[in-house]
Amino acid sequence: MSVQGMAFHQGNKILLKDAKVGVMTHALHYGTAAFEGIRGNWNSDKNEMVIFRLQEHYERLLRGANILRMNLPYSAEDLSEITVDLVKSNGYKEDVYIRPLAYKSHELVANLKLHELDDDITIIVIPFGAYIDNDKPINCQTSSWRRPEDTMMPTGVKLSGLYTTSILAKTEAVSANFDEAILLNFDGTVSEGSGENLFMIKNNEIITPTETDNCLLGITRDSIIEIAQKELGLKVNERKIHRSELYLADEVFLTGTAAHVTSVGTLDSRKIGNGNIGSITKNLQELYFSIVIGNDSIKKKSDYTKWLTSFNV
Ligand code: PMP
């Protein structure tokens, strides 16, 4: 990976290649960190960088940091300001991915506690195109790995340690030539993808697992719920989903900052609907893309500029 550009590290803006931590760092050994994935979308018509729901990402990061009993000297507003400055310094005129990592920075091993340890936050910015090709539906596999239960680890925030399960699941799916994994809960109901929330559509109703189904409280999920209700007048039902309901759905799609809105064409080698991108998924994809890039070409009933931090680079 390229190590060009600038990072925010140990309270300063420095060259990314110089942003390093020691091998004894607590978070490196125990996954005691919380992170975010934030997208800056390059709007070439307006010559502007458009960051999507910046403050909400930092609010979620700070909720995770609080669970890990971190004392960071920054508010969500401070971190948003630092990020805008960092993105400007990097100067990329293309889509970027912003990765803040709040971590137990104490250099001390064999110490299983959260308190009385140093904490820090690093923010990096990298150029980032498509994570998944959204133009065609993807093929998913129900994972043999289960989504951790909230009784095992807090699941509503992005704690680094949780991602071992996501990575095992994605690796299993990709090694078997699928594109993505769908993880079930311990009770066999559906939770989410390895890095995406899941929605299904049945009879024009949108259904998605609830917060108590151990899924991450996704910012794209929240945005899609609002867009589906306001723009398409659809009913959104948050409830438990059985595995085979997905086989019988009209449409299934995944949402995430990296994945945007991705149609699922097959699950466990069974076609969903007719296997193509469904009409509601297509509509939501188009609306979402136009909103996150601050593009006015599609007329919308509501104003979403509240979600955008736009500036010249
Ligand atoms: N679930 C998991 C496990 C994720 O890692 C992500 C990506 N952050 C999501 C869902 C989607 O969340 P968001 O829309 O906030 O990116």
Side-chain angles (χ1 to χ4, degrees), residues 60 147 158 163 192 194-197 216 218-220 255-257:
R60 183 171 65 187
R147 174 77 179 161
K158 283 176 75 76
Y163 279 79
E192 61 176 352
S194 67
E196 306 86 16
N197 289 113
L216 181 74
I219 289 167
T220 320
T255 63
T257 297

Side-chain angles (χ1 to χ4, degrees), residues 131-185:
Y131 177 69
I132 296 181
D133 176 6
N134 300 115
D135 293 340
K136 53 181 192 338
I138 62 166
N139 301 313
C140 292
Q141 180 188 40
T142 305
S143 185
S144 68
W145 296 98
R146 298 287 167 110
R147 174 77 179 161
E149 296 283 310
D150 194 74
T151 50
M152 302 167 183
M153 209 193 291
T155 51
V157 287
K158 283 176 75 76
L159 301 187
S160 294
L162 262 175
Y163 279 79
T164 304
T165 309
S166 285
I167 290 166
L168 285 166
K170 176 102 183 186
T171 303
E172 177 186 62
V174 171
S175 305
N177 288 322
F178 292 92
D179 301 304
E180 186 52 279
I182 307 293
L183 286 91
L184 304 180
N185 292 308

